Amino acid sequence: MLSVFFFAVSFAPTLHAQSIENIEQNVTEFTLDNGLHFIIIERDVAPVASFVTHVGVGSVNEQIGQTGLSHVFEHMAFKGSTTIGTTNWEEEKVIIDQMDDAYLAWLKESRSSSPDEEKLSELWDRFEKLQEKAGEFVVNNEFSQIVEREGASGLNAFVSADETAFFYSLPENKAELWFALEADRFMNPVMREYYIEKDVIMEERRDRVDNSPFGRLIEELISTAYSAFPYKHHPIGWPSDIEAVTIQDALDFYEKHYVPANMTISIAGDVDPDRMKTYAERYFGDMPSAESPPKVMTIEPEQRGERRFVMEEDGQPVLMIGYHSVDMNHPDAVAIDLLSGVLFEGRTSRLYRRMVTEEQKALQIGGLNGFPGSLYPGLFLIYAVPNQGVELAEIEEAVYEELDRIREGDISEREIERVRTNARASAIRGLASNQGMALNFAQAHAKRGTWQSIFTDLDEMEKVTPEDLQRVVDTYFVKQMRTVGTIQTRDSETASR
């Protein structure tokens, strides 16, 4: 705790150019010949290190009919490799290949215009027998057990619209073990227990989306707000796509996206940069180089008018508004991020103070820029839960009133400075731990081209004026560019109509 406090105090005053210079002294960067980039951050506060493998792939990169594939592969990365998690890979692979063929045959018959039920039953029975046979070779959770036995903590991963990241911490004297295991699982991936894990993912979808009113509202909002751009697909995937993707689909996806040029590895802790480079060359140097996958070329067409939808549910009403915004590298991105803070960040923000504290019309109200992703133009998302007896229309109108106030110039430098202060504090918190620093540096490098953007964005925020907020509200927060979705309590008298 003392080390975190010291870090915060020492960096709180500026977090500008001087801070970059201070941190640069402890950062070593290098790129292997195959294109894999490493960031090593020396922090000797404890004899541990955090390791992050960042891959520039998310749901935005998935093809129609294969939504959710990023999430599927993220699960597969914990199933071991050709040497870990199996008693006999050669024999296991033969069964896995047969199992995939059997599943594909069942899938084709099930999706035909007039499926033969008897044939379906036979095909499914063959698939299940092969799946059971493949399971005989599996050493359950061997990868996780190895790293946890060696003192690992925080073993996890996440997938979003824009990215996938894998991370955990180890004692610093286990760094070479991390390199050996991480290179093995990403250079020798296996689709072990693939269809069993897809059932787990389907259950996650039911929990997070299908059985969650808020989750259903989010999915409906993004699929309504976007006509063409793949942000319209929820990162967890559509149920029929999750069912349909095969092992071969996952392997093809891996070969396209899990290439060195599309990956960043960041290590923060009590480590020696020269030794880390030696390990990197030893374990990752043979990873085949390949072209970085192409950027998404689809451009969302200009919205022609406000879009609205209503979902009738038995539970709590909810309001959600999405305005088409800009990508994180756009010159207006920082100003729009700052606007989000003015409106929603903390108890003294405009809409929280007005709707929750003073008028007590909302139980919750919030917003953020860059949803569901920010690498490409995302949405400025606003959501609110009304207090009992309050109509959603009252809260919606209040949102527009506050935007209009800013549009007309009713915005003070004091409000902007409050958000700047909070942004600096947030940056400090994100860099106060090895894991936070490693993840933030990897993300900044992969998405912005340099970890220094963590600090230069704060510099850019210092330049934002009240007039800039007026301009972005007038440019982007207009009726034509918004999608409004609501959950309204079902009327028992009309529910069956």
Side-chain angles (χ1 to χ4, degrees), residues 287-306:
M287 192 173 188
S289 61
E291 290 289 329
S292 187
K295 296 291 186 182
V296 178
M297 301 304 290
T298 302
I299 297 175
E300 178 67 18
E302 183 178 354
Q303 191 166 309
R304 297 185 179 92
E306 182 189 58

Short mmCIF file of all heavy atoms in Angstrom, two decimals, residues 287-306:
data_model
loop_
_atom_site.label_atom_id
_atom_site.label_comp_id
_atom_site.label_asym_id
_atom_site.label_seq_id
_atom_site.Cartn_x
_atom_site.Cartn_y
_atom_site.Cartn_z
N MET A 287 8.11 -18.11 -33.83
CA MET A 287 6.71 -17.94 -34.21
C MET A 287 6.66 -17.37 -35.63
O MET A 287 7.27 -16.33 -35.91
CB MET A 287 6.01 -16.99 -33.24
CG MET A 287 4.50 -16.95 -33.37
SD MET A 287 3.74 -15.94 -32.04
CE MET A 287 2.01 -16.30 -32.33
N PRO A 288 6.00 -18.05 -36.55
CA PRO A 288 6.04 -17.62 -37.95
C PRO A 288 5.50 -16.21 -38.15
O PRO A 288 4.46 -15.85 -37.60
CB PRO A 288 5.17 -18.65 -38.67
CG PRO A 288 5.13 -19.84 -37.76
CD PRO A 288 5.21 -19.28 -36.37
N SER A 289 6.21 -15.43 -38.92
CA SER A 289 5.73 -14.08 -39.24
C SER A 289 4.63 -14.17 -40.29
O SER A 289 4.54 -15.14 -41.04
CB SER A 289 6.87 -13.21 -39.75
OG SER A 289 7.42 -13.77 -40.93
N ALA A 290 3.77 -13.17 -40.29
CA ALA A 290 2.67 -13.11 -41.26
C ALA A 290 2.19 -11.67 -41.34
O ALA A 290 2.44 -10.86 -40.44
CB ALA A 290 1.52 -14.03 -40.84
N GLU A 291 1.53 -11.36 -42.43
CA GLU A 291 0.96 -10.03 -42.58
C GLU A 291 -0.06 -9.77 -41.48
O GLU A 291 -0.84 -10.65 -41.12
CB GLU A 291 0.29 -9.89 -43.94
CG GLU A 291 1.25 -9.87 -45.12
CD GLU A 291 2.05 -8.58 -45.18
OE1 GLU A 291 1.53 -7.53 -44.75
OE2 GLU A 291 3.20 -8.63 -45.66
N SER A 292 -0.04 -8.56 -40.95
CA SER A 292 -1.06 -8.17 -39.99
C SER A 292 -2.42 -8.19 -40.68
O SER A 292 -2.54 -7.78 -41.84
CB SER A 292 -0.78 -6.77 -39.44
OG SER A 292 -1.67 -6.45 -38.40
N PRO A 293 -3.46 -8.73 -40.04
CA PRO A 293 -4.77 -8.79 -40.71
C PRO A 293 -5.26 -7.41 -41.08
O PRO A 293 -4.96 -6.42 -40.40
CB PRO A 293 -5.67 -9.44 -39.65
CG PRO A 293 -4.96 -9.26 -38.36
CD PRO A 293 -3.51 -9.26 -38.68
N PRO A 294 -6.00 -7.29 -42.17
CA PRO A 294 -6.45 -5.97 -42.63
C PRO A 294 -7.43 -5.34 -41.67
O PRO A 294 -8.15 -6.02 -40.94
CB PRO A 294 -7.12 -6.28 -43.98
CG PRO A 294 -7.55 -7.71 -43.87
CD PRO A 294 -6.50 -8.39 -43.03
N LYS A 295 -7.44 -4.02 -41.65
CA LYS A 295 -8.43 -3.28 -40.87
C LYS A 295 -9.81 -3.49 -41.47
O LYS A 295 -9.96 -3.83 -42.64
CB LYS A 295 -8.10 -1.78 -40.88
CG LYS A 295 -6.78 -1.42 -40.21
CD LYS A 295 -6.85 -1.62 -38.72
CE LYS A 295 -5.58 -1.13 -38.04
NZ LYS A 295 -5.60 -1.35 -36.57
N VAL A 296 -10.81 -3.28 -40.64
CA VAL A 296 -12.19 -3.37 -41.13
C VAL A 296 -12.43 -2.19 -42.07
O VAL A 296 -12.21 -1.03 -41.70
CB VAL A 296 -13.19 -3.34 -39.96
CG1 VAL A 296 -14.62 -3.38 -40.48
CG2 VAL A 296 -12.94 -4.50 -39.01
N MET A 297 -12.86 -2.47 -43.28
CA MET A 297 -13.00 -1.43 -44.29
C MET A 297 -14.43 -0.89 -44.41
O MET A 297 -14.66 0.12 -45.07
CB MET A 297 -12.56 -1.99 -45.66
CG MET A 297 -11.11 -2.47 -45.67
SD MET A 297 -9.93 -1.20 -45.16
CE MET A 297 -10.04 -0.09 -46.58
N THR A 298 -15.38 -1.54 -43.78
CA THR A 298 -16.77 -1.08 -43.85
C THR A 298 -16.89 0.29 -43.19
O THR A 298 -16.33 0.53 -42.11
CB THR A 298 -17.71 -2.06 -43.13
OG1 THR A 298 -17.58 -3.34 -43.74
CG2 THR A 298 -19.15 -1.60 -43.21
N ILE A 299 -17.61 1.18 -43.82
CA ILE A 299 -17.90 2.51 -43.25
C ILE A 299 -19.41 2.58 -43.01
O ILE A 299 -20.20 2.35 -43.93
CB ILE A 299 -17.45 3.64 -44.18
CG1 ILE A 299 -15.92 3.59 -44.35
CG2 ILE A 299 -17.88 4.99 -43.62
CD1 ILE A 299 -15.39 4.60 -45.35
N GLU A 300 -19.79 2.85 -41.78
CA GLU A 300 -21.21 2.97 -41.46
C GLU A 300 -21.81 4.15 -42.23
O GLU A 300 -21.31 5.28 -42.16
CB GLU A 300 -21.39 3.19 -39.96
CG GLU A 300 -22.83 3.38 -39.51
CD GLU A 300 -23.69 2.13 -39.69
OE1 GLU A 300 -23.13 1.03 -39.83
OE2 GLU A 300 -24.92 2.29 -39.69
N PRO A 301 -22.87 3.91 -43.02
CA PRO A 301 -23.49 5.02 -43.74
C PRO A 301 -24.12 6.03 -42.79
O PRO A 301 -24.49 5.69 -41.66
CB PRO A 301 -24.56 4.33 -44.59
CG PRO A 301 -24.79 3.01 -43.95
CD PRO A 301 -23.52 2.62 -43.27
N GLU A 302 -24.18 7.26 -43.24
CA GLU A 302 -24.77 8.32 -42.40
C GLU A 302 -26.22 7.97 -42.05
O GLU A 302 -27.00 7.56 -42.91
CB GLU A 302 -24.73 9.65 -43.15
CG GLU A 302 -25.25 10.82 -42.33
CD GLU A 302 -25.14 12.14 -43.06
OE1 GLU A 302 -24.55 12.15 -44.17
OE2 GLU A 302 -25.66 13.15 -42.55
N GLN A 303 -26.53 8.11 -40.79
CA GLN A 303 -27.89 7.83 -40.35
C GLN A 303 -28.84 8.90 -40.89
O GLN A 303 -28.54 10.08 -40.85
CB GLN A 303 -27.94 7.79 -38.81
CG GLN A 303 -29.22 7.24 -38.25
CD GLN A 303 -29.11 6.91 -36.76
OE1 GLN A 303 -28.18 6.21 -36.37
NE2 GLN A 303 -30.03 7.42 -35.96
N ARG A 304 -30.00 8.48 -41.38
CA ARG A 304 -30.90 9.41 -42.05
C ARG A 304 -31.95 10.01 -41.12
O ARG A 304 -32.69 10.90 -41.52
CB ARG A 304 -31.61 8.70 -43.21
CG ARG A 304 -30.65 8.21 -44.30
CD ARG A 304 -31.40 7.62 -45.47
NE ARG A 304 -30.50 7.17 -46.53
CZ ARG A 304 -30.01 5.94 -46.63
NH1 ARG A 304 -30.37 5.01 -45.74
NH2 ARG A 304 -29.19 5.62 -47.61
N GLY A 305 -32.01 9.52 -39.92
CA GLY A 305 -33.00 10.05 -38.98
C GLY A 305 -32.96 9.28 -37.68
O GLY A 305 -32.36 8.21 -37.58
N GLU A 306 -33.59 9.84 -36.68
CA GLU A 306 -33.63 9.18 -35.37
C GLU A 306 -34.28 7.80 -35.49
O GLU A 306 -35.25 7.62 -36.22
CB GLU A 306 -34.43 10.03 -34.38
CG GLU A 306 -34.48 9.44 -32.99
CD GLU A 306 -35.45 10.19 -32.09
OE1 GLU A 306 -36.65 10.25 -32.44
OE2 GLU A 306 -35.02 10.70 -31.04
#
